[in-house]
Amino acid sequence: MADVLDAQRQALDPLRTALLAAAHTEAEQLRRSAAEEGQALVDDAREQAARVLASAAAEGEADGRELAARAASRAEQRARAVVLEAQHTAYRQLVEATGRAVALALREPDRRAALEGALRTRLGGEAELGDTVDGGLWARSPDGRTVDGSVDTLVAQAMEGLDLEQLWCPG
């Protein structure tokens, strides 16, 4: 069974490598954009905080510092929210693109046959096979065991082993 999973992983390795490279590029662009947008928000907030601090000086230096700290904190929270939203969007796009690529790959007879073979190896040669709605396969053995070879499941398995945190790191 481990051999089947290894074979599936090896069959998806070139696709995974290409998708990860594309994801790195897109994530870097999104990260830069989010960082720029976040920095602009922080800069605006600091300017606003400086104005608040200056006007509050007449009312009391301590009150002004507190207002400036709150304004800077709110700006940093907004900037972090922008970055997190960009990361979430990039992850969603990566999953969708991977799903499309896997579905397209499974239209190729040799790749579909490889998945069929992996499912039969896992459940036995008498396993019944069928198509899933998303372009993958399912398999059921005569004793009722099943294996989900749907595109969504294959993508989830492929994404499972990836260190996606590296996408958000510069460079």
Side-chain angles (χ1 to χ4, degrees), residues 52-135:
V52 168
L53 183 59
S55 69
E59 297 173 19
E61 192 174 314
D63 289 343
R65 281 194 189 118
E66 184 179 330
L67 288 172
R70 281 191 220 150
S73 176
R74 284 191 303 271
E76 288 173 7
Q77 288 172 349
R78 285 192 305 265
R80 181 69 179 140
V82 166
V83 169
L84 289 174
E85 180 60 29
Q87 288 175 347
H88 178 70
T89 298
Y91 178 79
R92 236 183 24 252
Q93 289 173 348
L94 174 61
V95 169
E96 290 169 5
T98 303
R100 287 189 302 271
V102 169
L104 185 62
L106 288 176
R107 289 184 193 154
E108 296 176 22
D110 59 328
R111 297 215 182 189
R112 189 161 196 83
L115 180 57
E116 288 174 2
L119 294 173
R120 286 190 192 283
T121 299
R122 192 150 174 212
L123 291 179
E126 302 212 4
E128 174 188 2
L129 297 177
D131 294 322
T132 61
V133 176
D134 61 6

Side-chain angles (χ1 to χ4, degrees), residues 20-42:
L20 191 54
H24 276 286
T25 301
E26 187 172 334
E28 179 63 22
Q29 290 171 345
L30 286 169
R31 188 198 59 74
R32 271 195 224 119
S33 175
E36 289 170 3
E37 191 174 334
Q39 187 60 49
L41 286 169
V42 169

Side-chain angles (χ1 to χ4, degrees), residues 34 40 128 160 167:
E128 174 188 2
E160 214 172 76
L167 295 176

Side-chain angles (χ1 to χ4, degrees), residues 43-56:
D43 291 346
D44 288 348
R46 285 188 177 142
E47 289 174 13
Q48 179 184 0
R51 288 190 300 272
V52 168
L53 183 59
S55 69

